[in-house]
């Protein structure tokens, strides 16, 4: 296999992304905006927090509260963190208020919810099902796609009922859970098309990127053009199992891999990886459907794909379609959250989409991103300037790009593993 040297290559691999106007109107004018928190002395009332700060506070409180902690979520409208505390733990509730979060007393502990998820795993691991803890309802959200019928549905329903009243909610999805193989920026291998998620710095300081692990089944050598010369090689991949991620190293060590997401004519600088928070507003970029937005619905989700079970995912109501696999999930203030794995539905009727947490993937492959030492950190100022110059560049550009990309919308690959 030949490798083409591309000195100082700008490796965002832009292919003219499609910008969904609804999401773009929210994201682009304020890509680097921030919100000031409430004064530290306002401990009696919940503080106003950015989603990233709320995630950090939730992590700290989870360690402080111990068994009294029953999950947390972000109220995007009021910009507050809401923390569930098991009923009767008054002292712990006071700690939450003192830290600046809102308290909600609940009946189900996190240990009980996790035990329920364990029962689902042992009794109802059925292709086309998923489950995740939903802190907003203090229940396990169990979802079955359109393939779960007859005896399989009866088995799932009886397992959910066995957990007891108030422990789980069962809902039906009209679509079919599948991995979105096919493409932020498109990458190609072996006839398959996926999306580049985030550029990173791999061990030894070499430039690389993250994408979905199930994409790696298509081949080891990846290009930024269909049928083009390879520019990167798969180094590590996991799917199915405890994740869906792959580290792909650029073949040319001189490749510049900026820490940013191309959202169609503009870029959003990515400053660091962060944990997702339920209720958080997020954006997904993929070369098939472009930019879409929505909310985080659940964490540590288990999805039973036809190819196998994947655990530890983020559940959202963001739409996606074949071609978006591996694409980036991020926030408007530049936090890298996830990599597109799969789901059901499409961007016409909606559906569920699951994402691999970026933090878990980085730790597993030994890579860094953004301000944490990721590739292209020195290019972030340039990216911010470019974004500032193009803010308010009109929505007509997005409409034209949607039209231009229409013929490429269904250039996907149906893959079996």
């Amino acid at each position: 296999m030949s490798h083409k040297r591309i000195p100082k290559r700008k490796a965002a691999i832009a292919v003219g992304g499609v910008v969904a106007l609804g999401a773009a109107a929210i994201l682009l004018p304020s890509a680097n905006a921030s919100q000031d928190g409430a004064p530290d002395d306002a401990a009696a009332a919940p503080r106003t927090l950015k989603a990233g700060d709320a995630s950090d506070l939730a992590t700290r409180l989870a360690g402080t509260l111990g068994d009294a902690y029953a999950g947390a979520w972000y109220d995007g409208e009021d910009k507050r963190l809401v923390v569930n505390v098991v009923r009767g733990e008054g002292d712990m509730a006071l700690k939450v208020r003192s830290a600046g979060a809102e308290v909600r007393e609940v009946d189900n502990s996190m240990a009980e919810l996790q035990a329920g998820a364990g029962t689902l795993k042992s009794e109802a691991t059925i292709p086309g099902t998923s489950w995740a803890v939903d802190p907003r309802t203090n229940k396990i959200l169990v979802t079955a796609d359109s393939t779960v019928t007859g005896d399989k549905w009866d088995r799932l329903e009886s397992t959910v009922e066995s957990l007891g009243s108030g422990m789980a909610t069962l809902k039906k999805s009209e679509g079919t859970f599948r991995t979105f193989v096919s493409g932020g920026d498109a990458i190609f291998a072996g006839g398959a098309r996926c999306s580049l998620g985030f550029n990173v710095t791999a061990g030894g300081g070499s430039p690389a990127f993250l994408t979905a692990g199930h994409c790696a089944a298509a081949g080891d050598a990846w290009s930024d053009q269909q049928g083009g010369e390879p520019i990167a090689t798969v180094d590590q991949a996991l799917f199915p199992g405890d994740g869906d991620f792959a580290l792909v190293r650029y073949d040319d060590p001189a490749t510049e891999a900026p820490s940013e997401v191309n959202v169609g004519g503009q870029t959003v600088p990515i400053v660091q990886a962060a944990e997702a928070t339920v209720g958080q507003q997020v954006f997904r970029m993929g070369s098939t459907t472009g930019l879409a937005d929505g909310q985080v619905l659940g964490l540590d989700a288990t999805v039973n794909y036809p190819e196998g079970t994947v655990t530890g995912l983020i559940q959202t109501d963001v739409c996606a379609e074949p071609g978006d696999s591996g694409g980036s999930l991020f926030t408007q203030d530049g936090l890298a959250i996830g990599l597109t794995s799969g789901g059901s539905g499409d961007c016409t009727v909606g559906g569920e989409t699951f994402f691999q947490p970026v933090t878990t993937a980085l730790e597993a492959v030994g890579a860094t991103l953004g301000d944490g030492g990721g590739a292209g950190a020195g290019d972030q100022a340039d990216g911010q300037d470019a974004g500032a110059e193009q803010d308010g560049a009109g929505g007509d550009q997005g409409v034209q790009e949607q039209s231009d990309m229409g013929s490429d919308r269904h250039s996907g690959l149906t893959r079996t593993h």
Side-chain angles (χ1 to χ4, degrees):
M1 178 179 65
S2 62
H3 299 286
K4 180 170 63 175
R5 180 177 175 82
I6 313 174
K8 296 298 181 181
R9 176 183 177 81
K10 284 291 183 182
I13 314 183
V15 293
V18 186
V19 177
L21 295 181
I26 300 171
L27 173 66
L28 297 179
S30 57
N32 299 303
S34 63
Q35 300 147 352
D36 292 333
D40 291 338
D41 58 0
R47 295 168 52 204
T48 299
L49 299 167
K50 294 186 293 182
D53 294 334
S55 177
D56 291 341
L57 178 57
T59 300
R60 293 198 301 271
L61 286 172
T64 299
L65 301 181
D67 293 340
Y69 178 79
W73 80 95
Y74 183 63
D75 182 341
E77 183 174 347
D78 293 333
K79 297 181 174 55
R80 294 176 177 177
L81 177 68
V82 182
V83 178
N84 290 339
V85 175
V86 176
R87 201 175 304 279
E89 296 283 354
D91 291 343
M92 295 302 180
L94 180 60
K95 289 185 178 182
V96 171
R97 293 189 183 96
S98 298
E102 183 176 331
V103 176
R104 177 169 172 257
E105 291 191 340
V106 297
D107 294 320
N108 298 322
S109 69
M110 186 60 69
E112 290 171 329
L113 293 169
Q114 290 173 342
T119 299
L120 288 163
K121 179 179 179 180
S122 62
E123 303 294 333
T125 297
I126 301 166
T129 62
S130 71
W131 50 82
V133 173
D134 180 2
R136 288 178 290 192
T137 63
N138 189 228
K139 296 180 181 180
I140 304 168
L141 175 59
V142 183
T143 306
D145 73 12
S146 59
T147 68
V148 181
T149 59
D151 291 343
K152 291 188 292 185
W153 172 262
D154 293 342
R155 176 180 157 199
L156 179 63
E157 189 175 41
S158 64
T159 303
V160 169
E161 291 175 352
S162 75
L163 300 179
S165 176
M167 279 293 293
T169 301
L170 176 59
K171 76 168 191 172
K172 191 81 170 178
S173 173
E174 295 181 0
T176 301
F177 289 155
R178 67 200 188 279
T179 52
F180 291 130
V181 179
S182 155
D185 288 339
I187 51 176
F188 305 87
R193 175 184 176 184
C194 280
S195 293
L196 186 151
F198 298 98
N199 284 317
V200 299
T201 299
S206 60
F209 63 82
L210 294 176
T211 189
H214 66 263
C215 292
D220 289 336
W222 287 82
S223 172
D224 60 348
Q225 299 180 25
Q226 191 158 16
E229 289 291 322
I231 65 166
T233 303
V234 174
D235 182 83
Q236 302 177 53
L238 176 64
F239 176 86
D242 296 330
D244 184 6
F245 56 87
L247 175 71
V248 187
R249 292 183 187 254
Y250 289 104
D251 296 332
D252 183 354
T255 296
E256 286 190 6
S259 188
E260 62 191 26
V261 174
N262 171 26
V263 294
Q266 301 187 48
T267 58
V268 176
I270 298 299
V271 295
Q272 66 183 58
E275 301 287 349
T277 304
V278 171
Q280 181 179 28
Q281 182 187 36
V282 286
F283 296 84
R284 177 201 52 76
M285 188 64 193
S287 66
T288 298
T289 56
L291 187 66
D293 71 306
Q295 283 192 358
V296 175
L297 301 180
L299 305 177
D300 197 20
T302 295
V303 186
N304 297 300
Y305 292 124
E307 298 93 337
T309 299
V310 181
T311 61
L313 300 182
I314 301 166
Q315 183 171 354
T316 75
D317 62 3
V318 184
C319 73
E321 297 184 8
D324 293 329
S325 277
S328 28
L329 185 73
F330 58 100
T331 67
Q332 67 175 10
D333 51 353
L335 300 179
I337 301 295
L339 308 166
T340 307
S341 175
S344 68
D346 55 39
C347 287
T348 300
V349 300
E352 302 85 13
T353 302
F354 300 91
F355 295 84
Q356 164 67 47
V358 169
T359 51
T360 305
L362 288 171
E363 183 178 3
V365 301
T368 56
L369 178 152
D371 283 350
D379 295 326
Q380 287 178 18
D382 294 339
Q384 289 170 342
D385 291 341
E389 292 171 359
Q390 295 180 39
D391 280 351
D396 291 343
Q397 180 183 25
V399 174
Q400 182 62 45
E401 288 172 342
Q402 284 185 321
S403 175
D404 291 345
M405 288 290 289
S407 61
D408 197 38
R409 189 176 180 82
H410 300 292
S411 59
L413 170 74
T414 301
R415 183 182 67 79
T416 58
H417 185 70

